[in-house]
Amino acid sequence: MSGPSRAKRAAVAAVVVATAGAAAFWLLTAPRPLAPSAIPAHTPDLANGELLFHAGSCISCHRPAKGTPGADPALPSGGAPFKTPVGTFYPQNLTPDDATGLGRWRPVDFVNAMTRGLSPSGRHYFPAFPYPSYRNVRTTDLLDLFGYLRSLPKVVSPERPPDVPFARVARRGVGLWDLLALRGPRFSPDPARDASWNRGAYLVAGIGHCGECHTPRNLLMVPERSRWLAGGPHPSGEGEVPSLRGLVARKRYKDAADLTLALQNGETFGYDRLSSGGMGEIQENLSLLPDADVRAIADYLVSLPQAPVDGAGAAPRPSR
Amino acid sequence: MIRIKRLSVASALLVASALAAAPLSFAAQTATEAIQARQKAMKGIDGAMESLVAIAKKQAPFDAAVVKKAGETIASHLTEAQGLFPAGSEKGDVQTWAKPTIWSDGAGFAAALKSSHEAATALAGVKEEAAFLPALKALGGSCKHCHETYRLPKR
């Protein structure tokens, strides 16, 4: 009796390889949420939550779509289209409505969403939602922001799935991308710098998520740490995002005080670089922060040398 | 017979392409000129803004004459700008940050320029210090609206 034919063997081998590949994909992309016990007991500071809401420009993505009947554009009820090179997303409702918003979320659900890009049911969010930046935000700050969102009026606004090709497989595949993008240490303060600089660095790297646009991405769409805030093509595909390095050396701003005024006043004070490409709205949001926080952001940014750091040891912290 | 026909078709094509190329290079030249002219106009606005911003930042005292001059300068550059975005000047031999929406939404762009012009004119007429900052904010807001909608982000 002869063994199985060659063709049969090949078919068996192909099935084995495909099964192993699928299993590996499944394991590697598995969501790994924090357990509720990992979240400390904390009474939310709603004023701090509101500050972070503005510092993160949350409203600018999570607003209702234009022309939604009865929608208050000041509330983050979600639904406005957010176009990216990958597809169009419809950021979700952040008001505390039970069925369509954050009403039934536990604090751990919010922390998992913000730091691990995971929904309460364990699905991966697409990184159009900038959780790789938000993982730099302290847990107590996240809980303050969560408390603030839960204090907003409830709006019914159901989630709309993104217009992304092969969304189901792509969504699971985000788990692979996360392995690359969520590597490395989170933000930690630099003891060699003063409090304002560290506050600015924290806001820029964390809730401000400035690097999402101002840091160029590699072919896998992962921000290049070695070119932190060095500018690049605009994510919309049109125009360019300016570098935030060497702002004084390149005569963009005179000093930190000048940049502070620019962030607070924008074109009202003739700073015409802060309007295009979506920055106009971000500037308006930043103008709502306390003076000291805007100054902190400016102190940090003007300290960045013009030449991006290259190669080894670059930017494990945003301080380099 | 056939060969002659082919030849004439070829020469006709050659003549046609030469004719087509002539206005094209002409258009490219005027597009570049338009881009340079409007960039110069914007620089002029920028220069006039400086004296106004100095007052806003309290680096210079309020002076109605200075405000009038700067407001009028800005208004005249904005009038000039109305004619500096002709069809076909989307691209030229120099870098431009003008967004294609200027031409696809011509009415909106014209309205935006007009509202900036009105804001500059209103600012030029400010006599009292109390009215200065609100008038400057209105002008700056109109600049911002236009730059958000009709200008690409630049390095």
Side-chain angles (χ1 to χ4, degrees), chain A residues 230-232 234 238-243 252 258 261 267-273 275-277 280-281 283-284, chain B residues 46 49 53 56-57 59 95 97 99-100 133 136-141 143-145 147-148 151-155:
Chain A
H234 194 274
E238 284 185 315
E240 290 177 41
V241 182
S243 169
R252 292 288 185 266
D258 191 32
L261 281 176
E267 286 220 53
T268 303
F269 276 19
Y271 295 102
D272 88 302
R273 293 182 162 269
S275 298
S276 307
E281 220 172 290
Q283 180 264 311
E284 279 170 39
Chain B
D46 203 35
M49 271 303 270
V53 170
K57 288 182 182 169
Q59 290 162 351
Q95 175 99 56
W97 305 96
K99 239 182 172 174
L133 213 50
L136 181 65
K137 279 190 175 161
L139 174 61
C143 299
K144 177 177 180 170
H145 165 70
H147 288 152
E148 280 182 314
R151 189 185 64 181
L152 291 171
K154 56 181 173 179
R155 256 188 189 282

Side-chain angles (χ1 to χ4, degrees), chain B residues 92-112:
Chain B
D93 296 334
V94 289
Q95 175 99 56
T96 171
W97 305 96
K99 239 182 172 174
T101 41
I102 291 176
W103 295 274
S104 63
D105 174 28
F109 181 64

Side-chain angles (χ1 to χ4, degrees), chain A residues 79-94:
Chain A
F82 181 70
K83 288 184 191 146
T84 76
V86 177
T88 300
F89 296 87
Y90 303 91
Q92 79 163 77
N93 183 0
L94 300 183

Side-chain angles (χ1 to χ4, degrees), chain A residues 62 76-79 91-97 100-102 155-159:
Chain A
H62 288 274
S77 58
Q92 79 163 77
N93 183 0
L94 300 183
T95 72
D97 180 51
T100 65
L102 308 186
V155 179
V156 178
S157 169
E159 189 178 346

